[in-house]
């Protein structure tokens, strides 16, 4: 579906289990591939991004068997069991695939080339290339080692002590993975706390990894020790759940239950912001699933959401929720200001620019800043033709805005939702009255 048409919704009712977590699906395939022995990944996300990761490891000789019910059996070949890929590895639209794999490939003694789609080829790669080079990796990339395609000649790495200049789970994870192949202990200091799925999973596999707030220490296990295989069940993705949380809050007379959602605190900054905005959201049935906290989320229409100001350390924990937070802000009383969000300029699209220009088209008053946006609520929105910028989260956020706008909204290039949530429009329709 290249174009989606949505009209104003009466209410949202019912229950939904969002698709499996994208970040955890990527990591499960990567870590199982470099573990020694057979791993089981249950509830793997069958969407384009994690498929890019799966295809990459298949091209390096890893056997991955697909079973019913989104289960994967992965025959890991150990830290040094990957084969040189015959072809260029195409990471598609996936920043997580390319940035995390570059850490693994840097420690493997063969040649590989990584590339991606037009969006990924414009996203910054120096943030992983520079520290990997410091560790001794042989890497060259386009335009002065800044952009894909990137060529890697892996070798034995040395541990470094690295203070990250950007808050990024992808960079952190890349260096943790490279650290597994280094002589000595690699120390990484985060700028702000970002998602910690890599650390949790590696710990469960027996890796020598220590976390002390912003400092992560990982001991190289090359030649000494292998990672144990895993049996993980992936929870639903909080970032996919966020669209439904927002819809239930801003569409009158709504009440929905969102099942089996990962609520890792490094991912749920949106819930803290929503609390401040006055939303009453219940988190029920909290449990542990494969080392990650999981719960059901119950939410209903919030009559009078209040505007908020956010910036600083909370940003990484809601980084992917910026577009949907912009939509929520349109329906909150007052001016919401989001600052310190410059990373949003280098996501799958420039998400600040994308949300600013498309929300303006449907009647929202706002101001764009280099590092964020301010949005005036409550806006009375009117449907129009809007662009997804081929960015899954922009398309889904605009779809929720469309449910609150008068008339019909057409979203161009809407099939990009396949990156993380292929059934998004069908699921939304099921809940909409
Ligand atoms: C991700 C980390 C975040 C996030 C992306 C997925 C991950 O990117 O925006 O969608 O799986 O590690 P950065 O780490 O670059 O902020």
């Amino acid at each position: 579906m290249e174009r989606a048409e949505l009209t104003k919704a009466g209410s949202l009712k019912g229950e939904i289990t969002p698709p499996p977590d994208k970040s955890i699906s990527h990591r499960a395939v990567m870590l199982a591939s470099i573990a020694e022995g057979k791993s089981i990944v249950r509830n793997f996300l069958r969407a384009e991004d994690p498929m890019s990761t799966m295809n990459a490891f298949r091209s390096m000789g890893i056997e991955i068997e697909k079973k019913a019910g989104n289960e994967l059996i992965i025959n890991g070949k150990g830290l040094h069991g990957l084969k040189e890929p015959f072809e260029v590895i195409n990471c598609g639209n996936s920043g997580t695939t390319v940035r995390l794999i570059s850490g693994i490939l840097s420690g493997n003694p063969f040649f590989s080339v990584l590339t991606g789609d037009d969006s990924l080829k414009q996203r910054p790669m120096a943030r992983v290339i520079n520290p990997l080079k410091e560790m001794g990796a042989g890497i060259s990339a386009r335009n002065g080692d800044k952009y894909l395609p990137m060529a890697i000649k892996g070798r034995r790495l040395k541990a470094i002590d690295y203070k990250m200049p950007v808050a990024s789970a992808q960079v952190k994870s890349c260096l943790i993975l490279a650290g597994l192949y280094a002589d000595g202990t690699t120390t990484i200091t985060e700028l702000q706390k970002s998602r910690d799925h890599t650390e949790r999973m590696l710990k469960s596999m027996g890796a020598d990894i220590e976390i002390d707030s912003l400092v992560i220490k990982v001991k190289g296990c090359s030649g000494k020790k292998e990672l144990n295989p895993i049996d993980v069940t992936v929870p639903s993705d909080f970032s996919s759940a966020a669209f439904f949380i927002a819809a239930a809050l801003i569409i009158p007379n709504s009440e929905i239950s969102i099942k089996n959602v990962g609520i890792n605190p490094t991912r749920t900054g949106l819930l803290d912001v929503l609390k401040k905005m006055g939303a009453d959201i219940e988190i029920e049935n909290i449990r542990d699933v494969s080392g990650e906290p999981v719960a059901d989320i119950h939410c209903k229409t919030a009559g009078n959401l209040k505007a908020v100001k956010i910036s600083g350390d909370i940003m990484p924990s809601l980084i992917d929720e910026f577009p949907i937070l912009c939509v929520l802000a349109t329906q909150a009383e007052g001016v919401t200001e989001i600052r310190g969000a410059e990373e949003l300029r280098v996501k799958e699209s420039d998400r600040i620019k994308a949300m600013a220009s498309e929300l303006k088209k449907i009647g929202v008053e706002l101001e764009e800043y280099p590092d964020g946006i301010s949005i005036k609520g409550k806006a009375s929105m009117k449907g129009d033709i809007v662009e997804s910028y081929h960015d899954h989260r922009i398309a889904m956020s605009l779809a929720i805005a469309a449910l609150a706008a008068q008339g019909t909204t057409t979203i161009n290039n809407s099939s990009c939702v396949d990156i993380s949530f292929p059934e998004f429009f069908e699921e939304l329709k099921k809940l909409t009255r």
Side-chain angles (χ1 to χ4, degrees):
M1 184 172 42
E2 273 304 305
R3 157 186 299 193
E5 274 201 354
L6 296 107
T7 48
K8 190 170 167 64
S11 67
L12 254 81
K13 299 266 187 221
E15 199 178 289
I16 177 175
T17 302
D21 190 279
K22 181 155 82 68
S23 290
I24 299 176
S25 293
H26 281 298
R27 285 157 172 82
V29 169
M30 290 184 191
L31 295 181
S33 296
I34 58 168
E36 199 170 59
K38 182 169 134 184
S39 286
I40 305 177
V41 181
R42 302 170 206 269
N43 201 31
F44 172 74
L45 172 64
R46 286 189 198 228
E48 283 180 12
D49 263 16
M51 290 296 193
S52 294
T53 293
M54 200 169 88
N55 291 337
F57 282 90
R58 280 187 165 153
S59 78
M60 293 188 280
I62 301 297
E63 284 163 37
I64 304 178
E65 206 186 319
K66 287 187 198 165
K67 297 275 198 189
N70 293 342
E71 188 175 309
L72 301 180
I73 307 286
I74 302 175
N75 289 302
K77 297 232 169 101
L79 282 164
H80 294 282
L82 299 176
K83 266 188 2 220
E84 181 172 82
F86 188 70
E87 293 285 356
V88 169
I89 296 176
N90 192 335
C91 302
N93 192 244
S94 176
T96 307
T97 305
V98 69
R99 295 204 178 105
L100 270 61
I101 282 191
S102 66
I104 295 174
L105 293 177
S106 293
N108 274 281
F110 53 69
F111 175 73
S112 54
V113 181
L114 297 166
T115 193
D117 68 6
D118 287 349
S119 152
L120 199 57
K121 279 191 278 199
Q122 292 171 57
R123 295 181 65 188
M125 294 300 147
R127 53 182 58 196
V128 290
I129 294 174
N130 293 340
L132 287 172
K133 276 185 175 169
E134 250 185 71
M135 295 178 83
I139 308 192
S140 317
R142 184 173 61 85
N143 196 358
D145 294 345
K146 289 196 201 74
Y147 298 101
L148 296 179
M150 171 195 320
I152 304 181
K153 182 74 181 73
R155 23 176 112 112
R156 195 160 189 142
L157 302 176
K158 57 175 191 292
I160 55 168
D161 185 339
Y162 190 68
K163 294 205 174 14
M164 290 177 48
V166 285
S168 163
Q170 293 179 350
V171 175
K172 170 179 68 173
S173 300
C174 165
L175 299 179
I176 291 173
L177 293 172
L180 295 174
Y181 292 90
D183 287 329
T185 299
T186 297
T187 305
I188 303 148
T189 307
E190 291 198 78
L191 188 62
Q192 292 162 330
K193 185 78 186 161
S194 65
R195 67 191 68 191
D196 64 358
H197 308 300
T198 309
E199 296 90 309
R200 285 174 187 248
M201 206 176 279
L202 273 177
K203 215 168 199 174
S204 78
M205 300 171 83
D208 211 330
I209 181 164
E210 275 172 38
I211 301 111
D212 183 4
S213 113
L214 295 177
V215 182
I216 298 114
K217 287 183 190 289
V218 57
K219 228 186 226 167
C221 34
S222 257
K224 294 170 220 149
K225 192 175 148 186
E226 292 286 349
L227 298 173
N228 301 322
I230 40 172
D231 181 339
V232 291
T233 300
V234 181
S236 289
D237 198 320
F238 181 82
S239 297
S240 297
F243 302 109
F244 291 87
I245 297 176
L249 293 176
I250 65 174
I251 308 298
N253 306 315
S254 298
E255 181 160 6
I256 63 169
S257 246
I258 312 174
K259 300 290 183 192
N260 198 38
V261 187
I263 53 156
N264 180 319
T266 60
R267 296 285 300 280
T268 53
L270 180 72
L271 292 179
D272 303 325
V273 171
L274 286 172
K275 211 179 209 172
K276 274 203 210 154
M277 293 174 89
D280 183 11
I281 296 175
E282 281 165 46
I283 310 294
E284 298 162 346
N285 194 14
I286 300 178
R287 59 232 186 239
D288 177 281
V289 178
S290 306
E292 293 277 347
V294 173
D296 303 324
I297 300 176
H298 191 84
C299 43
K300 47 185 177 202
T301 310
N304 47 348
L305 286 177
K306 297 187 297 279
V308 275
K309 290 203 177 351
I310 62 165
S311 66
D313 288 350
I314 195 169
M315 281 318 298
S317 68
L318 49 75
I319 192 78
D320 290 340
E321 282 60 75
F322 171 87
I324 194 63
L325 187 51
C326 290
V327 175
L328 281 155
T330 68
Q331 301 308 308
E333 207 71 59
V335 176
T336 291
E337 195 174 286
I338 311 170
R339 303 300 289 260
E342 49 275 81
E343 270 297 299
L344 271 305
R345 297 233 177 248
V346 291
K347 292 292 177 191
E348 286 86 327
S349 69
D350 176 342
R351 287 182 172 161
I352 300 177
K353 184 168 154 225
M355 288 312 290
S357 73
E358 302 317 290
L359 286 179
K360 253 189 208 162
K361 279 186 195 163
I362 57 171
V364 180
E365 276 181 56
L366 53 86
E367 196 175 338
E368 188 182 333
Y369 309 114
D371 69 336
I373 197 165
S374 67
I375 294 175
K376 191 168 167 213
K378 283 186 168 182
S380 120
M381 302 189 290
K382 193 170 172 310
D384 206 327
I385 300 172
V386 292
E387 302 300 324
S388 72
Y389 297 77
H390 301 276
D391 180 334
H392 55 135
R393 299 202 199 281
I394 300 297
M396 292 188 273
S397 300
L398 292 173
I400 303 306
L403 299 184
Q406 294 297 335
T408 303
T409 304
T410 303
I411 305 169
N412 281 336
N413 297 309
S414 54
S415 59
C416 56
V417 301
D418 290 352
I419 292 296
S420 64
F421 197 160
E423 315 79 17
F424 173 77
F425 289 106
E426 290 79 16
E427 294 290 335
L428 190 59
K429 209 169 175 184
K430 275 192 217 157
L431 297 183
T432 310
R433 305 275 180 269

